[in-house]
Amino acid sequence: MRVVYFFPFDDGDAEALYEQERKHYHRKGIEFISILDSPKKRLDFLSPTDRLYIVAHGNPWCIGQSQTSEQTLSTVGLAKLMVSKHLTKNFVDIRLLCCQSGINASKYTSSFAQRFKEAMVSFGYNNLQVTGYLGGVITLRDWRLENKETSGFYKEKKKGINPDKSYCYMIKSRLGLDEFLRYAASDFKKIF
């Protein structure tokens, strides 16, 4: 298994994140690759057992270079980018490491992650599983609270999340929701 971080936009954080994640996965004996998009970069080397993280700023409607950038991708735009990068049709695991990617855009519009999966299925990616996150994602690793009654910490550093207030019912920690608390992102994800 390999873990690949794909950056569709260059926001300047890729280099610092690369070094942190390289060290983390090296300790686990897992190959880690970071790819900043360019016309020559392809994803056809990925196998079905690999995990692909798409790393960008985001909201339930689109992903972008920054929170205020005009450079954005819609779900269909991102799906077309993956096709143009020659992602193999049998690929299985894409995780959208983007803020609010698992949250419905509106009462009538599904989440970015779900719409992205639907777009990928329309291009023939029928085995794909897409993960979105339910809040503000923090890519830098730090000690993260476990989401449980005893409010302990995970033994290793994890990617974090500030859960969206609409998902406070999922918080099992006695500490509840606080803008300064960061839970493990893996505790606040939705898989489509």
Side-chain angles (χ1 to χ4, degrees):
M1 178 184 104
R2 277 180 292 228
V3 172
V4 177
Y5 277 31
F6 178 77
F7 295 84
F9 309 99
D10 182 8
D11 70 355
D13 294 333
E15 194 172 310
L17 183 58
Y18 166 76
E19 191 56 31
Q20 165 194 282
E21 294 300 280
R22 185 194 63 74
K23 287 177 182 175
H24 171 77
Y25 287 109
H26 178 74
R27 282 191 303 273
K28 291 181 157 198
I30 297 172
E31 182 182 2
F32 174 73
I33 300 169
S34 178
I35 300 172
L36 185 58
D37 187 29
S38 77
K40 294 181 182 179
K41 300 290 183 179
R42 294 174 56 133
L43 298 173
D44 54 353
F45 68 92
L46 292 170
S47 73
T49 59
D50 294 336
R51 187 181 308 155
L52 176 63
Y53 285 89
I54 297 173
V55 185
H57 290 279
N59 60 50
W61 297 273
C62 66
I63 63 169
Q65 182 177 18
S66 68
Q67 294 172 341
T68 58
S69 173
E70 292 181 17
Q71 190 176 7
T72 62
L73 283 170
S74 67
T75 55
V76 173
L78 181 58
K80 287 179 179 179
L81 179 62
M82 294 295 100
V83 170
S84 75
K85 297 296 172 193
H86 303 276
L87 183 67
T88 58
K89 299 273 180 161
N90 64 347
F91 194 73
V92 177
D93 190 358
I94 294 181
R95 300 177 188 207
L96 299 172
L97 202 53
C98 313
C99 290
Q100 302 177 357
S101 56
I103 297 173
N104 286 352
S106 73
K107 184 177 179 181
Y108 305 104
T109 306
S110 57
S111 68
F112 186 89
Q114 184 174 352
R115 295 188 327 271
F116 172 65
K117 179 181 179 169
E118 291 165 0
M120 292 296 285
V121 167
S122 75
F123 287 115
Y125 292 83
N126 297 317
N127 299 319
L128 190 62
Q129 172 181 292
V130 175
T131 301
Y133 294 90
L134 304 172
V137 175
I138 298 106
T139 55
L140 296 177
R141 290 181 182 272
D142 199 352
W143 290 105
R144 302 296 176 200
L145 283 168
E146 288 184 283
N147 187 22
K148 63 182 186 178
E149 293 293 327
T150 58
S151 301
F153 289 91
Y154 283 96
K155 292 180 181 176
E156 64 179 32
K157 295 180 179 185
K158 294 185 158 279
K159 293 180 286 289
I161 193 167
N162 286 334
D164 187 89
K165 288 181 177 130
S166 60
Y167 290 92
C168 64
Y169 68 90
M170 293 176 66
I171 297 176
K172 300 171 190 150
S173 167
R174 59 187 166 78
L175 298 176
L177 182 63
D178 182 301
E179 65 183 75
F180 298 107
L181 295 177
R182 287 170 175 57
Y183 291 95
S186 57
D187 287 343
F188 293 90
K189 66 183 181 184
K190 196 167 183 184
I191 301 170
F192 300 95

